[in-house]
Amino acid sequence: MTEDTGWRWCQEVTVAFLNSSGTAVRSGSVTCGTHIVGALGVDWGTVESTVPLPVPLAPGARKRPAWTVCVDARRVPLGMRTGTREVSADGD
């Protein structure tokens, strides 16, 4: 889920995690693919950012953390916006 922050170059991104394995997750990372979108909906590029996975995550546990994901403000001129569309996680 994404929400505006008031800055066209940032979004609040909330991701739900469920550890469906039988072992705890102790480390890992979350990668967000944030698209730079023009006024007419044209996708001008994607910027990846990585944050630590919210660990530890016990077997069967759920977490729903939120991050403010931003790209360099000069990459998002007036009339453009960001849209985080891809999120992937890698845990150990």
Side-chain angles (χ1 to χ4, degrees):
M1 179 171 82
T2 60
E3 293 181 33
D4 289 334
T5 62
W7 299 307
R8 67 183 179 280
W9 56 88
C10 295
Q11 281 189 315
E12 186 80 10
V13 177
T14 303
V15 181
F17 293 99
L18 166 63
N19 181 356
S20 60
S21 75
T23 60
V25 177
R26 303 203 185 285
S27 65
S29 61
V30 178
T31 302
C32 297
T34 301
H35 295 254
I36 300 168
V37 182
L40 298 176
V42 175
D43 191 333
W44 289 92
T46 303
V47 178
E48 286 191 350
S49 57
T50 303
V51 294
L53 192 63
V55 292
L57 192 57
R62 295 177 187 266
K63 287 191 179 181
R64 192 175 162 89
W67 295 275
T68 301
V69 178
C70 297
V71 300
D72 191 347
R74 64 189 161 108
R75 294 192 66 169
V76 189
L78 283 173
M80 298 178 87
R81 60 183 171 78
T82 59
T84 302
R85 297 182 185 163
E86 294 97 25
V87 177
S88 62
D90 181 31
D92 300 324

